């Protein structure tokens, strides 16, 4: 088995690798929640998951943190697709607007993240989460800090 040098991969290459390989042996929030990388392109990522009872808030609907995590992942990974090898990012700000509750019994939630601006020091993106009926669950914006410089 060849060991990959993730630092040598561009953000787009890394995200496409995650999409195609679906590495189950690497701990991640995506693995914990059962996220799937459905689409990966430069400046845009679509991720989805199936809800389950473990995602419930005290009211019995999907906890808002699940939608926030989907949005943070989709938008952050969209930013990552624009970065050169050896360059990382971290979320500086995340603003989520919740529109409606999601059910916990196996509903598919899909988040799309799209880059608005990718600069040398910061990047911004927007995202939305839809249920399996195409209804808007939440939408968001993010600002990411770009870490490091390309070699």
């Amino acid at each position: 088995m060849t060991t990959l040098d993730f630092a040598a991969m561009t953000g787009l290459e890394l995200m496409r690798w995650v999409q195609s390989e679906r590495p189950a042996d690497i701990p991640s929030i995506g693995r914990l929640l059962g996220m799937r990388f459905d689409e990966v392109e430069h400046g845009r990522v679509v991720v989805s998951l199936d809800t389950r009872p473990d995602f419930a808030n005290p009211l019995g609907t999907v906890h808002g943190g699940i939608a926030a995590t989907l949005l943070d992942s989709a938008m952050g990974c969209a930013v990552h697709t624009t970065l050169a090898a050896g360059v990382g990012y971290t979320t500086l700000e995340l603003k989520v607007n919740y529109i409606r509750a999601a059910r916990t019994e196996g509903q598919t939630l899909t988040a799309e993240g799209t880059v608005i601006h990718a600069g040398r020091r910061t990047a911004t993106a927007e995202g939305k989460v839809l249920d399996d009926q195409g209804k808007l669950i939440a939408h968001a914006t993010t600002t990411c800090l770009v870490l490091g410089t390309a070699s």
Side-chain angles (χ1 to χ4, degrees), residues 12-111:
L12 182 58
E13 291 168 341
L14 179 59
M15 290 294 98
R16 285 187 172 157
W17 178 82
V18 169
Q19 179 188 29
S20 67
E21 297 300 318
R22 299 178 60 119
D25 58 336
I26 299 174
S28 69
I29 190 69
R31 182 179 81 172
L32 178 67
L33 297 180
M35 282 186 211
R36 300 175 294 273
F37 282 76
D38 301 325
E39 298 177 42
V40 174
E41 57 190 67
H42 187 268
R44 183 177 167 273
V45 169
V46 177
V47 297
S48 62
L49 58 71
D50 297 323
T51 63
R52 57 184 191 251
D54 288 338
F55 294 172
N57 62 25
L59 299 174
T61 59
V62 172
H63 190 282
I66 299 297
T69 300
L70 266 174
L71 286 160
D72 189 38
S73 297
M75 294 184 299
C77 289
V79 166
H80 199 168
T81 66
T82 68
L83 301 179
V87 178
Y89 72 96
T90 190
T91 302
L92 279 177
E93 181 266 343
L94 176 66
K95 167 66 171 93
V96 180
N97 292 286
Y98 296 97
I99 305 304
R100 67 176 39 86
R103 297 184 324 274
T104 59
E105 59 278 341
Q107 184 175 37
T108 299
L109 299 182
T110 303

